[in-house]
Amino acid sequence: MELLREKIEKEGQVLSDTVLKVDSFLNHQIDPMLMKEIGEEFANRFSDQVITKVLTIESSGIAPATFLGLTIGAPVVFARKRKSLTLTDNLYTSSVHSFTKNETNEISVSKKFLSADDNVVIIDDFLANGEALKGLMDIVNQAGATVVGAGIVIEKGFQLGGQLMRDQGLRIESLANIKSLANGKVEFFD
Ligand code: G4P
Ligand code: NA
Ligand code: NA
């Protein structure tokens, strides 16, 4: 997605060989015009599928997921992150380990909002090691729902999550795929 690449080139800050800061339009301040385009692009990429629900994880997945939901007219559910869970009866839960932050979060979705009848697209802002995606897939599987694919705003293709999940048969649509962040420079895959 050309518009997104330009935005990353213009406003993204390479913090290290592995971390890209995009807080001016995605992770802190949100650019709603860009986010609208992102929602429409995801809708186009998945236009061959019937989608009944968009699933994401708080917090930064919510904006792109919501614009997809708006475009296709489907509800958006975000998994919540919790430190501890005592009552899990009416929740699907999974644990997500972040190698970046070296912490494990329990994520949860109410059983009210996901069922075996659902055809789900999973949306997230970043794909790095794929741990968030794995946790969300786990939740969809617990619900007995069908995953039609995952839409990612920025994939870091030099990390292994994308390959790992594609190898397991998951369809992943990335709007920008980064090949390298070496030497303070963003390089994209074609
Ligand atoms: P993984 O799910 O692919 O394994 O990713 P990882 O554990 O490495 O990511 C942990 C958090 O860091 C996630 O956000 C993820 O979106 C974010 N992240 C990963 N790589 C980058 C990067 O290069 N730049 C930025 N800006 N974020 C990155 P989170 O903790 O869930 O936070 P949020 O959704 O509340 O923003
Ligand atoms: Na994030
Ligand atoms: Na995220």
Side-chain angles (χ1 to χ4, degrees), residues 83-94:
K83 291 232 156 55
S84 73
L85 288 170
T86 46
L87 232 168
T88 61
D89 281 2
N90 48 356
L91 298 173
Y92 305 115
T93 65
S94 191

Side-chain angles (χ1 to χ4, degrees), residues 73-120:
V76 178
V77 178
F78 61 94
R80 292 176 171 273
K81 294 172 186 163
R82 299 201 176 186
K83 291 232 156 55
S84 73
L85 288 170
T86 46
L87 232 168
T88 61
D89 281 2
N90 48 356
L91 298 173
Y92 305 115
T93 65
S94 191
S95 43
V96 172
H97 180 73
S98 168
F99 293 100
T100 310
K101 295 183 173 174
N102 194 27
E103 62 182 25
T104 301
N105 278 300
E106 288 295 316
I107 65 168
S108 63
V109 169
S110 168
K111 290 182 179 174
K112 273 190 291 188
F113 303 127
L114 209 51
S115 80
D117 297 330
D118 281 314
N119 278 331
V120 180

